[in-house]
Amino acid sequence: MSNINLLIDVVLLAMLVLTTIAIVRIESLFAIVMLTGVFSLLAANIFIILDAVDVAFTEAAVGAGISTVLMLATIGITGYEQKRRRKISWVAPLIVVTITGAVLVYGTLDMPAFTDPEAPIHTHVAPRYINESPTEVGIPNMVTSVLASYRGYDTMGEVIVVFAALIGVLSLIGIREHKGDPKHLEPPARPVLQVMSKFMIPFIILFALYVQFHGDFGPGGGFQAGVIFAVAIILYALTFSQQDAMDLAPPRILKRLASLGVLIYGGTGVVSMLKGGNFLDYNVLAHDPVHGQHYGILVIEFGVGLTVACVMMLIFFAFISRGDRNP
Amino acid sequence: MINEHLPALQVVVPLLAAPICFLIPNKRLSWLFATLVSWLSFAMAILLVIAVNDGTILHYEFGGWAPPWGIEYKVDIFNSYVLLIVTAIGAAVFPYSWKSIQKEIPETHHRIYFTAMLLCLAGLLGMTITGDAFNLFVLLEISSLSSYTLISLGRDRRALTASFQYLIMGTIGATFILIGVGLLYALTGTLNMADLASRIPALEGSRTLEAAFAFLILGFGLKLAMFPLHLWLPNAYSYAPSSVSAFIGATATKVAIYALLRFLYTVFGSSFSFDYMQVHWLLMPLAIASFMFASIVAIFQDGIKRLLAYSSVAQIGYILLGISLVNVTGLTAALLHMFNHALMKGGLFLALGAIAYRIGSTRVQSIAGIGQAMPYTMAAFVIGSLSLIGVPLTVGFISKWYLILATLEKGYWPLTVLIIISSLLAVVYTWRVIETAYFQERPAGAPAVKEAPLSLLIPTWVVILANLYFGINSSLSTDLASHAALLLFGGSLL
């Protein structure tokens, strides 16, 4: 059994290395973007083997999914081929990379053995998460317990990182709305794609809602759900037209909702302060602490989903509205 | 109730103010709101300094979960002092921004500017106050992303390349920090700094620990622009909008230095960092190279902002030298210089922003003869320069004095000589600017120049007067710095 696992590990890691080498060597940007998607999918597989399904899910949804779409939208602006550059010396970068790699290898020499049950990561903080979270937090998925409650403040920080990324994109390229531009009023006819996506979009949205609200019980949560939801709208924009999608989800509103998501998360913390607890202490939100934890996690996950979905759509709109300008 | 939540509010207020600021439709209102928040943050930092001044340590458990399971904020004399530096500069730069960005940033971007400034302020404060190694990384990301945005807002197209360069270097730095924290987690099973500190001594000799140490030093070295990892800094500071140069130039590198010290002294402990890893023998030559090389390069700069940026690299060199001496006086000098450099560079960049507002350029040649036309702005610049050189009665003198004492205490007199030479180089590069402004004629046909508006002059002069106040009445800042230095050394002896 373990031999098979080892074999799978080796094969996946080898493919990861080969993909990276290909990304460095290939000059077609389109191929590079597709390969980064492949890279993320391979990484997601490795996370599954490590039993980190939540992380795998996120990597697949964010790394292989939305990042690839955003990168494709980017090369829609920049063009598909890398610019021929002057020969630059690769000696210095190679030395830096080699030293970094050597230090990393050196660093792993004394690391606790993989799967060692006595390793500190299994014996110090983790036992409480495993043993107590079902009674303290009261939800079966302990990853969600750690992410949304024990370390909920970090997760709020991550949502704000997503928000900060939006601020960056809006300041750099902004979103052009092409109201009344005849070119955009007539959607190009792509009947097969349009019928198929009409069929798929409701299911994608339903799946997003499932991932959002099932995060307490299985892998999932606001980050993944937000991304999946955004993908439904992005699919609509791609198969119909950008203007149709922007009419459906107006950027003006999305910008407000993106801020609102952060404020829902932070507001939960403020409410728990006002009710006499510490920031983000969900225990005080209801009479029964475990109920309080449930409410708190439900609300903050909603905030996460809202911000992530709106930010992803906005970034996509920003990229494609630029791409239209320089076809 | 407010008092008990003060450590959390210090970060949460500016952090949540950012999305609120983004929702405010009116540009002037968003400025007023952001300014109010920056003053509130300053007030909270003052309250925190008062609360911990007698040696108490404030703890705040997020979500009510005790560390190491939950995330903890921990305020002591050392980080309350850094909080004070960051919020004080923020409180001067936010009101200054309104006028300054009118000419430098298109009107459509004003709301984005204030939102990003609030995010940057909150991120820097969060990195300073946190007692959790991973939480530090999260807030580092917030402050970094927003500072890339702020730098890219510069008027010159080259601001985009500068911001991109900083983004690449900053991301490598952040990744190294993350690898370091990850390795520490693998070794100890905890992310809480105090808990890490209690578990690390047992691991001495572990190669993984050595690798974690190396990654963290390099990561923070990139963020704080340690020579030769400083290449992103001159471009970032010279192409950013004036108010952004003032804010980031005065605070961002200080917070990175704080984080480095926190890891060296609190997390790894001074016996591991200095006795076992001997890191001061790495820091000292880099520090010397930093202030010698950057002071020389500064002399040949054509843009005043770039000149000040190189001078910043040199000042970071002084701070690192203080750290690498590994004695209480040296560390006191380093901490003092963090505070004092924030005041002098903040004041200089603000004065320069006022010049840019009137003449639209910050090249040395373009300010010829403005000494008479803008007397108050140029006087501020002169006092800032004197402080940079280290003339008595300014803060620059106090930190140089401590630094020289520390080198003599160790018996490293050649270092004393080098510090004095480098200070003389500072005379050369600041004199070029002052001479051009006062002793050269305004070129014929150049448009007339008026004194800068009061909304720029007042914040500038507040910071400049602080240079004089803390230079004359230095007991407040030196007490804080020496207490913090003692705390760091004492903490490691326990």
Side-chain angles (χ1 to χ4, degrees):
Chain A
M1 199 44 211
S2 67
N3 278 337
I4 293 287
N5 275 353
L6 186 69
L7 190 68
I8 295 175
D9 279 346
V10 169
V11 169
L12 282 176
L13 287 169
M15 285 166 77
L16 210 57
V17 172
L18 289 176
T19 316
T20 320
I21 294 174
I23 290 173
V24 174
R25 295 204 56 88
I26 287 177
E27 300 218 325
S28 155
L29 294 178
F30 182 75
I32 289 175
V33 170
M34 297 322 278
L35 282 173
T36 53
V38 171
F39 183 91
S40 291
L41 217 51
L42 286 169
N45 278 312
I46 293 172
F47 292 144
I48 288 178
I49 292 178
L50 295 172
D51 281 338
V53 272
D54 281 84
V55 186
F57 194 2
T58 317
E59 182 64 42
V62 177
I66 197 96
S67 304
T68 313
V69 174
L70 292 179
M71 292 295 277
L72 285 176
T74 312
I75 58 171
I77 307 175
T78 59
Y80 282 36
E81 285 297 322
Q82 193 177 322
K83 216 187 265 177
R84 285 259 159 218
R85 291 193 302 184
R86 284 175 287 113
K87 256 283 192 247
I88 49 164
S89 163
W90 46 267
V91 179
L94 193 67
I95 293 173
V96 172
V97 169
T98 312
I99 293 176
T100 311
V103 176
L104 273 174
V105 171
Y106 178 80
T108 53
L109 292 178
D110 281 344
M111 217 147 82
F114 180 57
T115 70
D116 174 8
E118 296 303 314
I121 39 167
H122 300 306
T123 55
H124 185 45
V125 181
R128 170 154 174 200
Y129 294 149
I130 296 168
N131 297 325
E132 308 295 324
S133 77
T135 47
E136 282 181 336
V137 183
I139 57 173
N141 183 359
M142 64 183 91
V143 176
T144 303
S145 298
V146 174
L147 181 137
S149 188
Y150 290 108
R151 298 190 67 89
Y153 185 62
D154 270 348
T155 308
M156 184 175 117
E158 292 296 349
V159 178
I160 293 176
V161 169
V162 173
F163 178 74
L166 171 70
I167 297 296
V169 169
L170 289 180
S171 89
L172 281 173
I173 55 180
I175 297 175
R176 286 157 192 274
E177 295 193 54
H178 303 265
K179 279 264 153 58
D181 181 348
K183 197 183 117 206
H184 294 278
L185 291 178
E186 284 173 44
R190 304 177 187 116
V192 176
L193 286 176
Q194 288 178 342
V195 171
M196 283 309 290
S197 61
K198 266 189 179 169
F199 174 73
M200 283 173 65
I201 286 170
F203 288 103
I204 297 177
I205 291 178
L206 190 65
F207 182 55
L209 292 175
Y210 165 78
V211 172
Q212 171 80 48
F213 293 107
H214 202 68
D216 295 3
F217 304 99
F223 282 99
Q224 298 96 322
V227 169
I228 295 169
F229 188 89
V231 163
I233 307 294
I234 290 173
L235 182 64
Y236 185 65
L238 288 174
T239 51
F240 287 82
S241 79
Q242 178 197 330
Q243 192 56 51
D244 286 328
M246 283 197 191
D247 288 344
L248 184 71
R252 201 163 30 84
I253 310 260
L254 290 183
K255 283 181 197 168
R256 287 181 196 156
L257 290 178
S259 307
L260 191 68
V262 178
L263 291 175
I264 288 175
Y265 202 138
T268 313
V270 175
V271 170
S272 50
M273 264 182 183
L274 294 176
K275 294 198 108 183
N278 275 1
F279 191 74
L280 293 176
D281 184 350
Y282 312 133
N283 282 348
V284 296
L285 294 178
H287 285 299
D288 181 49
V290 174
H291 282 186
Q293 290 286 340
H294 269 289
Y295 295 145
I297 292 174
L298 202 68
V299 173
I300 62 114
E301 287 278 8
F302 175 69
V304 174
L306 189 63
T307 297
V308 171
C310 294
V311 169
M312 293 306 148
M313 285 187 253
L314 283 168
I315 293 181
F316 178 77
F317 286 155
F319 283 149
I320 55 164
S321 62
R322 271 290 166 147
D324 266 14
R325 203 177 51 118
N326 331 310
Chain B
M1 186 200 117
I2 291 291
N3 261 334
E4 157 202 343
H5 289 300
L6 206 55
L9 291 173
Q10 175 77 77
V11 179
V12 167
V13 167
L15 203 56
L16 293 181
I20 295 175
C21 181
F22 191 61
L23 287 173
I24 298 175
N26 182 304
K27 288 188 295 286
R28 188 179 284 269
L29 272 183
S30 70
W31 164 63
L32 284 173
F33 174 74
T35 305
L36 190 72
V37 170
S38 72
W39 288 353
L40 209 59
S41 303
F42 184 40
M44 288 192 276
I46 293 175
L47 290 178
L48 282 175
V49 170
I50 294 170
V52 299
N53 203 20
D54 56 357
T56 40
I57 292 174
L58 298 177
H59 296 266
Y60 191 86
E61 295 167 1
F62 279 93
W65 300 113
W69 294 278
I71 294 166
E72 175 196 36
Y73 270 6
K74 200 171 163 185
V75 191
D76 57 22
I77 297 178
F78 179 31
N79 61 3
S80 69
Y81 171 75
V82 181
L83 292 174
L84 192 70
I85 300 175
V86 175
T87 52
I89 298 296
V93 173
F94 275 78
Y96 176 95
S97 293
W98 175 254
K99 257 282 178 310
S100 175
I101 63 174
Q102 298 300 333
K103 289 203 176 166
E104 298 192 27
I105 297 175
E107 231 173 68
T108 47
H109 284 58
H110 287 184
R111 200 166 41 136
I112 283 178
Y113 167 87
F114 287 115
T115 309
M117 281 289 275
L118 284 171
L119 286 173
C120 191
L121 174 69
L124 293 173
L125 293 175
M127 282 174 71
T128 310
I129 202 171
T130 190
D132 188 279
F134 185 75
N135 191 244
L136 186 140
F137 171 76
V138 174
L139 284 130
L140 170 82
E141 287 285 273
I142 295 176
S143 70
S144 306
L145 276 181
S146 45
S147 45
Y148 308 144
T149 306
L150 287 168
I151 290 166
S152 74
L153 286 172
R155 200 163 26 170
D156 194 312
R157 291 282 290 172
R158 279 171 293 183
L160 295 175
T161 347
S163 168
F164 187 68
Q165 201 182 9
Y166 183 25
L167 185 145
I168 298 291
M169 299 299 268
T171 307
I172 294 174
T175 310
F176 277 16
I177 293 167
L178 187 62
I179 292 174
V181 172
L183 290 175
L184 287 182
Y185 183 62
L187 277 178
T188 60
T190 183
L191 292 167
N192 183 275
M193 288 181 185
D195 200 25
L196 278 169
S198 67
R199 295 169 78 87
I200 279 177
L203 294 165
E204 204 165 289
S206 154
R207 282 175 279 205
T208 311
L209 190 65
E210 292 167 13
F213 186 79
F215 275 109
L216 284 163
I217 299 291
L218 266 181
F220 289 119
L222 268 163
K223 294 302 287 188
L224 66 83
M226 177 167 74
F227 184 88
L229 307 173
H230 67 283
L231 295 169
W232 57 268
L233 187 142
N235 278 335
Y237 287 11
S238 34
Y239 297 122
S242 305
S243 49
V244 174
S245 306
F247 183 64
I248 294 183
T251 58
T253 46
K254 311 295 170 301
V255 171
I257 291 169
Y258 160 79
L260 177 72
L261 283 172
R262 191 48 105 188
F263 272 89
L264 285 181
Y265 280 95
T266 308
V267 174
F268 288 102
S270 64
S271 73
F272 179 80
S273 304
F274 299 109
D275 299 338
Y276 182 75
M277 293 302 282
Q278 302 273 329
V279 69
H280 48 293
W281 295 119
L282 172 77
L283 293 181
M284 193 181 289
L286 294 181
I288 297 166
S290 195
F291 65 73
M292 291 309 291
F293 160 84
S295 301
I296 294 169
V297 174
I299 296 174
F300 300 100
Q301 294 312 309
D302 207 20
I304 307 175
K305 273 174 121 178
R306 184 174 286 271
L307 180 154
L308 292 180
Y310 274 106
S311 148
S312 283
V313 177
Q315 310 300 317
I316 291 161
Y318 293 136
I319 298 174
L320 288 176
L321 181 68
I323 296 169
S324 69
L325 291 172
V326 206
N327 57 9
V328 176
T329 322
L331 191 59
T332 306
L335 297 179
L336 261 178
H337 205 54
M338 282 163 74
F339 181 74
N340 295 347
H341 178 236
L343 289 182
M344 53 181 102
K345 217 30 90 53
L348 281 168
F349 271 123
L350 289 177
L352 198 58
I355 296 174
Y357 181 81
R358 279 300 182 218
I359 63 174
S361 161
T362 53
R363 309 190 72 77
V364 176
Q365 275 320 307
S366 60
I367 66 158
I370 64 162
Q372 285 80 34
M374 302 180 76
Y376 296 110
T377 310
M378 273 318 293
F381 194 90
V382 171
I383 297 174
S385 304
L386 292 176
S387 189
L388 197 60
I389 295 163
V391 173
L393 301 184
T394 63
V395 287
F397 174 72
I398 310 286
S399 33
K400 286 253 170 75
W401 177 252
Y402 271 85
L403 194 59
I404 286 175
L405 279 185
T407 53
L408 292 176
E409 204 173 284
K410 278 270 178 180
Y412 299 151
W413 61 266
L415 285 181
T416 319
V417 177
L418 287 177
I419 294 169
I420 292 168
I421 293 176
S422 161
S423 302
L424 293 176
L425 291 172
V427 178
V428 178
Y429 62 72
T430 51
W431 176 249
R432 272 185 63 222
V433 179
I434 293 165
E435 192 218 312
T436 317
Y438 282 104
F439 298 109
Q440 288 193 13
E441 288 297 314
R442 193 105 181 99
V449 178
K450 277 193 302 185
E451 181 52 82
L454 275 182
S455 51
L456 296 181
L457 276 181
I458 292 172
T460 309
W461 270 97
V462 169
V463 178
I464 289 294
L465 287 176
N467 272 288
L468 295 175
Y469 178 79
F470 290 106
I472 297 163
N473 182 9
S474 63
S475 61
L476 182 66
S477 52
T478 45
D479 281 357
L480 270 175
S482 61
H483 285 166
L486 279 172
L487 178 81
L488 285 179
F489 270 101
S492 61
L493 294 176
L494 287 176

